[in-house]
Amino acid sequence: MSAPRRDSLAFTVVVTVLVVLCAALMLLVIALSGAPSTLLVATVLAALPVGPVVACYLWLDRYEPEPKRLLASGLLWGAFVATAAAIVVQGVGGLAIGLSEEASLAVVAPVTEEASKGLFLLLLLWWRRAELDGLLDGIVYAGMVGVGFAFTENILYLAAAYNGTDGLGPGGTEALTATFVVRCLFSPFAHPFFTTFIGIGVGIAVASRSGAIRVLAPLAGYVLAVLAHGLWNGSTVYGFGSFAVVYVVLMAPALVGVACLAVWARRSERRMLTVALSDAAARGLVPATDIGWVTDLRARRQARAHARAMGGPAAERAMRDYQQAAVELGFLHHRYLRGTPPPDFAARGQDYVARIGAVRPSIAFPGQVVPTR
């Protein structure tokens, strides 16, 4: 287990240092973007879509919830590291190459922004691969990064709209409202959607036994993210009519398709978890009678409510710990059955089995006798 701990430490240190440094830079950029009152209003408006969009991703992530610290790291990476890197690279590139504003918007911005967002997913793939179990995990982490990026970018766009420095008009409340409607109401999904392609590529790479696919899938995801982002940005160059056409004809159907893929992946996780835990039960790793209380979300809630009613908060925590360990074991066992186990498969598996064995005597599911000590 020493190597995974070193990898985890390296990931934590790198991400933390970059977030702190880039947060200082982005907070300075934001502070210089307008008066305090303007920035306060822009921040509040930019924050409004964050909760609902994050809630959608957390709903997708219910079968095997990812560590909250990693999800928060994705948000912070998007909000500070990805935005700072994109601003610096675009600024340096614009001075060195001398591209027009339209070319920068349609080409440079998608290339740099998707690279800076996607880097977080590559760091996960490199140092925290064990946390990625497949397609849905990649989508969720990509969504977190995209939401964070959109939040900070929207603050800057909203402040620029009010100040009249966005080149689209004299500014004021009317411009601020129009920008809020377009960016925060009609397209809060845009950046999470673009980066989702990278997340899908990373999820495919994790689940694949082919070395070529492990390399090519994330690259293909990045290319698709850049193309979708470039098409979206490019449509704004030719006015609202072109933007509306791209929104209705291309982006909305593509978003629906990705959403359907995510929901399908979420549903398939229950079937996969059932098969994996059934095989684990046949090997004596988990009681077969408990599988239904772990794989069905409604049954999970019923089991926790039953434990709370019978034994209070401590019993509910024990039930939650048991269910979490069993779920983690199921996903790990699925990767073993597919032939793509993480390097620390044996040690992690023993840990989950030990956690299950330690807590199982102290819990009871509905219809069972509560154990006595």
Side-chain angles (χ1 to χ4, degrees):
M1 292 291 285
S2 59
R5 283 199 297 267
R6 287 197 299 269
D7 288 349
S8 179
L9 179 61
F11 176 88
T12 301
V13 170
V14 169
V15 171
T16 301
V17 170
L18 288 176
V19 165
V20 171
L21 293 177
C22 293
L25 173 60
M26 289 310 303
L27 290 175
L28 177 61
V29 170
I30 292 173
L32 297 175
S33 299
S37 58
T38 300
L39 295 177
L40 178 61
V41 172
T43 301
V44 171
L45 293 177
L48 290 179
V50 170
V53 178
V54 167
C56 291
Y57 284 101
L58 294 180
W59 177 81
L60 288 174
D61 191 40
R62 290 176 66 193
Y63 268 105
E64 188 219 8
E66 298 302 309
K68 291 183 174 59
R69 284 179 292 183
L70 283 183
L71 295 177
S73 295
L75 280 170
L76 293 173
W77 181 281
F80 298 125
V81 181
T83 50
I87 288 175
V88 170
V89 173
Q90 290 175 38
V92 173
L95 292 175
I97 303 176
L99 293 175
S100 65
E101 183 176 348
E102 291 78 8
S104 178
L105 181 66
V107 179
V108 178
V111 170
T112 56
E113 291 175 8
E114 294 311 317
S116 62
K117 288 186 289 180
L119 180 58
F120 180 81
L121 293 164
L122 293 183
L123 291 178
L124 279 176
L125 190 61
W126 187 14
W127 279 326
R128 299 297 297 270
R129 181 185 292 264
E131 299 294 345
L132 298 169
D133 291 306
L135 198 67
L136 196 58
D137 286 354
I139 291 175
V140 169
Y141 281 115
M144 292 295 108
V145 176
V147 170
F149 188 98
F151 169 66
T152 300
E153 188 181 63
N154 283 341
I155 294 175
L156 297 175
Y157 270 93
L158 290 166
Y162 184 83
N163 294 330
T165 56
D166 58 358
L168 299 179
T173 303
E174 184 176 348
L176 175 67
T177 302
T179 301
F180 170 75
V181 170
V182 171
R183 296 189 64 87
C184 299
L185 296 185
F186 280 94
S187 58
F189 57 82
H191 277 290
F193 168 66
F194 304 145
T195 313
T196 289
F197 288 108
I198 304 176
I200 292 172
V202 168
I204 292 174
V206 168
S208 176
R209 292 187 290 268
S210 168
I213 292 179
R214 290 179 180 179
V215 174
L216 294 177
L219 289 177
Y222 170 70
V223 171
L224 290 174
V226 170
L227 290 176
H229 196 159
L231 182 63
W232 179 269
N233 282 7
S235 68
T236 64
V237 174
Y238 300 101
F240 184 78
S242 297
F243 172 80
V245 169
V246 170
Y247 183 97
V248 173
V249 176
L250 295 176
M251 289 302 174
L255 176 66
V256 171
V258 170
C260 290
L261 175 64
V263 172
W264 170 84
R266 182 181 186 268
R267 289 180 177 176
S268 68
E269 284 198 342
R270 175 177 176 176
R271 296 190 294 271
M272 175 273 294
L273 193 58
T274 300
V275 171
L277 284 177
S278 297
D279 186 84
R283 299 168 188 260
L285 302 178
V286 64
T289 55
D290 297 352
I291 294 176
W293 299 106
V294 173
T295 58
D296 184 87
L297 292 176
R298 181 177 296 179
R300 283 192 204 176
R301 292 192 298 270
Q302 291 175 346
R304 291 196 294 268
H306 175 76
R308 182 173 61 252
M310 300 302 294
E316 182 183 10
R317 283 194 300 271
M319 178 65 73
R320 191 181 299 274
D321 290 344
Y322 176 81
Q323 290 175 334
Q324 184 64 31
V327 168
E328 295 286 358
L329 176 65
F331 276 86
L332 183 66
H333 197 66
H334 167 70
R335 293 179 65 178
Y336 165 75
L337 295 176
R338 282 184 55 87
T340 59
D344 60 341
F345 162 77
R348 291 180 64 202
Q350 290 172 4
D351 178 63
Y352 295 143
V353 171
R355 286 170 55 188
I356 289 171
V359 74
R360 184 61 182 90
S362 63
I363 65 171
F365 293 102
Q368 296 178 347
V369 177
V370 180
T372 57
R373 296 183 179 181

